[in-house]
Amino acid sequence: MREKKKMNFIYRLFLAINSTYLIIVVYLVKKDYYFNFLENYAHYFSWLIFILTPIVLTAISFLVLKFLSSDSLNKKSVVEVELANNSFLPTYLGYFFVSLSIDNIPTLCIVFIIIYVFTFLSQTLYFNPIFLLFNYNFYFIKTTNNVRIFLITKKLLRKPGEDDFEKLKRINNYTFIDIEKIKK
Amino acid sequence: MTFLLAKIKRKTNLLKVLSSEDDIYTYSDDDKYKLPTLDNSIEYNPATLLEDEQWYKYEKFSASEYIIDFLTNDFDSVNYSQIEKDSLNKIAYLCSIQGNVYYFQIISSSLVIRGKWFSLDVLEIETNRPIITINKYADVIFDKSNDVLYFKRLSNANSIFKGMDQLYREATETETATFLSNDFLSMKNNFNEKLVNVPNRKRIASVVDTLRKYPDDKKKQILTYIQGYNLVPFVNNSFEIDSEESLKLVLYGLEQRLFTTEIDKEQKIANSTIDIHVRK
């Protein structure tokens, strides 16, 4: 139990990093940073590595999922489904403008830490758009008990009551991720 | 998938403790936590005492006034927040949800081990890590597919489903006093309502209702029947009650629990009864 709790905490730290890391990437690209060992190549290669880093980290985060506590949700209990795929956009545009207007590394560190801490504490905002690259979708779901949860799943939900969710993992009390493979 | 939820004292919502692939209460014989045999159960009746393997049952429980929403709604674990460490000290009961069957266990202080302990696998002393042990049998079981509630003790069921003790309530002091003032009873040795203990109060509560429905001739008939067994002195048209024991015998009589065996003509008292049509 203690291990599981620790795992959950680390996982949440990790998710928050993945979803805010793009701030750093945008800053590095804007300032024309590149890896020393790639100085003989076009800077695009270095930037590609910057961009791939959060993607790889997100891929790793899927491996940690099985250590989280399991949950389930009946299809009959879903009363409302709302697609939230695009709700990260305003937040992300905000992040981008912030990092584009930052001039130096110390400011970047402070801004990043502030955004990171609040993303972590806000709990409901683990929007990591990189999940979209892995075919995940974001939904707000309301259950018959009037509980609203944030669900990350590969399933395409259009209306309530179509799919059971038997293999959910609890990220926190409001955020769940579905690890079931979709049948083709 | 089995989910273990906990009810915290003075909170309405349950909290999720854990989920597990393995059932907590299981059927296999070698497992310590096996299921009781629920087939051997009888409709709840305060007059019936249980044998070891027997359970009381309450059929069509969802239609009763004692049902809680938690049992009527479909179960979805996402609706329940994860329990926090500081709540673990205040658990009233646990509920293990295994498919359509809900197993309740009341958490008394004896199930919580706060002292030092070590596991038989890892021989290291653990301090300040209280653990909660799980009983072999659940205290109360609700089978949702058949809509039946099973329990061994009404007091346990009552601590989960408030008000269930009305099924077998105790007479209050006033009710006891009213009952003792009936003409067919006379107090001796300063015996009074204050001295009547809980089992007799429960008997009084159930006898009073039956007695009220009786017409006078039937009342007379039942008094003659009790006199016939000669257990309590009957003087001046009333039974002389001088102790809990004599009161109990009269109450047994009023419930018609005194009987004579058909063949051997032996006189007996039934301390537990079952309606024959219920048994079938």
Side-chain angles (χ1 to χ4, degrees), chain A residues 142-158:
Chain A
K142 205 167 126 186
T143 71
T144 36
N145 281 25
N146 270 330
V147 174
R148 214 168 128 92
I149 62 162
F150 187 66
L151 181 68
I152 305 169
T153 172
K154 284 189 171 170
K155 290 173 186 151
L156 266 178
L157 311 179
R158 295 174 66 84

Side-chain angles (χ1 to χ4, degrees), chain B residues 200-244:
Chain B
N200 271 343
R201 277 172 193 251
K202 288 180 172 173
R203 287 182 195 113
I204 291 173
S206 70
V207 160
V208 164
D209 293 334
T210 26
L211 218 53
R212 200 178 295 132
K213 286 178 219 144
Y214 280 176
D216 281 351
D217 56 329
K218 214 168 172 184
K219 253 184 216 166
K220 210 171 277 171
Q221 208 181 335
I222 202 161
L223 295 179
T224 328
Y225 148 80
I226 301 171
Q227 284 171 57
Y229 282 85
N230 222 354
L231 291 164
V232 182
F234 191 73
V235 185
N236 293 334
N237 276 327
S238 63
F239 292 104
E240 290 187 336
I241 306 293
D242 59 354
S243 66
E244 287 270 53

Side-chain angles (χ1 to χ4, degrees), chain B residues 88-105:
Chain B
L88 287 165
N89 281 326
K90 294 176 270 177
I91 298 180
Y93 59 81
L94 292 174
C95 178
S96 165
I97 296 146
Q98 303 172 194
N100 260 331
V101 189
Y102 294 62
Y103 298 87
F104 291 92
Q105 184 186 309

Side-chain angles (χ1 to χ4, degrees), chain A:
Chain A
M1 185 67 201
R2 187 185 266 186
E3 285 65 33
K4 225 170 199 176
K5 250 182 155 167
K6 225 180 259 169
M7 216 59 209
N8 183 280
F9 185 74
I10 293 170
Y11 188 67
R12 277 156 50 202
L13 285 175
F14 199 56
L15 278 191
I17 287 187
N18 290 342
S19 53
T20 47
Y21 192 79
L22 279 176
I23 297 175
I24 295 176
V25 172
V26 172
Y27 178 81
L28 294 177
V29 171
K30 175 203 146 192
K31 285 288 187 179
D32 205 7
Y33 279 86
Y34 56 88
F35 286 111
N36 282 338
F37 67 93
L38 288 175
E39 60 189 340
N40 299 329
Y41 300 89
H43 290 178
Y44 290 111
F45 288 107
S46 291
W47 297 348
L48 192 67
I49 293 177
F50 293 153
I51 293 169
L52 282 177
T53 313
I55 299 179
V56 171
L57 286 179
T58 306
I60 292 171
S61 77
F62 293 124
L63 301 176
V64 189
L65 280 178
K66 66 166 189 260
F67 297 105
L68 301 180
S69 173
S70 305
D71 278 290
S72 70
L73 175 64
N74 287 322
K75 56 182 164 197
K76 278 188 287 178
S77 312
V78 177
V79 288
E80 217 177 280
V81 174
E82 187 191 332
L83 188 68
N85 278 0
N86 54 352
S87 28
F88 74 90
L89 260 176
T91 329
Y92 261 74
L93 283 178
Y95 290 174
F96 278 42
F97 287 127
V98 167
S99 44
L100 284 175
S101 54
I102 290 173
D103 276 335
N104 51 51
I105 297 273
T107 325
L108 174 75
C109 290
I110 299 298
V111 170
F112 180 74
I113 289 170
I114 293 174
I115 293 181
Y116 176 77
V117 167
F118 283 103
T119 307
F120 180 75
L121 294 179
S122 74
Q123 300 220 355
T124 40
L125 275 171
Y126 288 125
F127 292 112
N128 177 359
I130 297 166
F131 276 32
L132 295 169
L133 295 178
F134 291 91
N135 270 334
Y136 278 94
N137 298 298
F138 302 106
Y139 296 95
F140 283 114
I141 282 188
K142 205 167 126 186
T143 71
T144 36
N145 281 25
N146 270 330
V147 174
R148 214 168 128 92
I149 62 162
F150 187 66
L151 181 68
I152 305 169
T153 172
K154 284 189 171 170
K155 290 173 186 151
L156 266 178
L157 311 179
R158 295 174 66 84
K159 62 176 188 194
E162 282 183 326
D163 293 282
D164 278 323
F165 302 96
E166 279 159 1
K167 291 188 175 163
L168 298 183
K169 291 288 181 181
R170 181 175 297 228
I171 296 171
N172 62 39
N173 287 334
Y174 310 96
T175 317
F176 298 84
I177 181 162
D178 186 2
I179 56 165
E180 200 175 339
K181 301 253 178 347
I182 40 172
K183 299 166 205 109
K184 290 264 160 90

Side-chain angles (χ1 to χ4, degrees), chain B:
Chain B
M1 180 75 69
T2 295
F3 292 100
L4 189 68
L5 301 196
K7 165 81 168 59
I8 309 300
K9 288 168 192 156
R10 290 184 293 277
K11 291 268 168 68
T12 20
N13 290 334
L14 282 88
L15 296 172
K16 180 187 165 192
V17 178
L18 54 91
S19 54
S20 159
E21 289 298 330
D22 304 316
D23 284 349
I24 292 174
Y25 298 93
T26 61
Y27 261 116
S28 72
D29 275 339
D30 49 307
D31 197 311
K32 184 169 164 267
Y33 297 85
K34 60 177 179 180
L35 284 178
T37 41
L38 294 175
D39 318 337
N40 192 6
S41 56
I42 41 175
E43 193 72 34
Y44 180 73
N45 181 341
T48 309
L49 303 178
L50 292 179
E51 287 160 29
D52 272 355
E53 293 282 287
Q54 269 183 334
W55 287 72
Y56 287 123
K57 66 179 171 192
Y58 188 121
E59 285 174 338
K60 299 200 180 67
F61 187 66
S62 64
S64 78
E65 57 188 297
Y66 315 114
I67 189 90
I68 50 181
D69 288 349
F70 165 60
L71 293 185
T72 41
N73 295 344
D74 281 328
F75 176 75
D76 294 296
S77 66
V78 300
N79 289 332
Y80 302 91
S81 295
Q82 182 68 44
I83 192 164
E84 299 291 331
K85 205 177 173 196
D86 51 346
S87 302
L88 287 165
N89 281 326
K90 294 176 270 177
I91 298 180
Y93 59 81
L94 292 174
C95 178
S96 165
I97 296 146
Q98 303 172 194
N100 260 331
V101 189
Y102 294 62
Y103 298 87
F104 291 92
Q105 184 186 309
I106 315 283
I107 298 296
S108 60
S109 50
S110 63
L111 296 176
V112 184
I113 298 172
R114 288 177 208 281
K116 296 179 179 175
W117 56 272
F118 63 90
S119 109
L120 300 178
D121 284 340
V122 186
L123 300 175
E124 268 175 43
I125 288 291
E126 296 279 4
T127 28
N128 291 326
R129 289 186 74 179
I131 52 176
I132 293 178
T133 51
I134 289 169
N135 281 344
K136 185 173 175 184
Y137 296 126
D139 292 317
V140 179
I141 300 172
F142 179 63
D143 180 351
K144 197 173 188 174
S145 37
N146 299 321
D147 199 6
V148 185
L149 186 80
Y150 298 93
F151 54 93
K152 286 240 179 210
R153 295 169 54 150
L154 187 64
S155 60
N156 281 341
N158 182 58
S159 47
I160 300 167
F161 308 105
K162 298 283 178 249
M164 257 189 101
D165 55 352
Q166 285 301 312
L167 288 177
Y168 186 21
R169 64 186 190 90
E170 292 168 32
T172 61
E173 201 157 298
T174 347
E175 283 171 310
T176 311
T178 323
F179 174 77
L180 294 183
S181 64
N182 269 311
D183 328 330
F184 60 84
L185 297 173
S186 60
M187 301 301 119
K188 288 279 138 80
N189 278 348
N190 289 327
F191 190 79
N192 63 42
E193 68 275 7
K194 292 200 171 59
L195 299 172
V196 180
N197 63 14
V198 173
N200 271 343
R201 277 172 193 251
K202 288 180 172 173
R203 287 182 195 113
I204 291 173
S206 70
V207 160
V208 164
D209 293 334
T210 26
L211 218 53
R212 200 178 295 132
K213 286 178 219 144
Y214 280 176
D216 281 351
D217 56 329
K218 214 168 172 184
K219 253 184 216 166
K220 210 171 277 171
Q221 208 181 335
I222 202 161
L223 295 179
T224 328
Y225 148 80
I226 301 171
Q227 284 171 57
Y229 282 85
N230 222 354
L231 291 164
V232 182
F234 191 73
V235 185
N236 293 334
N237 276 327
S238 63
F239 292 104
E240 290 187 336
I241 306 293
D242 59 354
S243 66
E244 287 270 53
E245 186 60 23
S246 50
L247 177 62
K248 185 173 92 180
L249 292 171
V250 173
L251 287 164
Y252 272 162
L254 292 169
E255 287 181 316
Q256 300 172 49
R257 282 157 174 257
L258 311 174
F259 67 102
T260 310
T261 53
E262 198 82 33
I263 316 293
D264 293 333
K265 305 291 175 208
E266 279 182 73
Q267 294 192 336
K268 297 198 171 187
I269 295 173
N271 76 337
S272 170
T273 63
I274 303 178
D275 287 352
I276 287 176
H277 73 268
V278 168
R279 224 192 137 84
K280 277 181 201 159

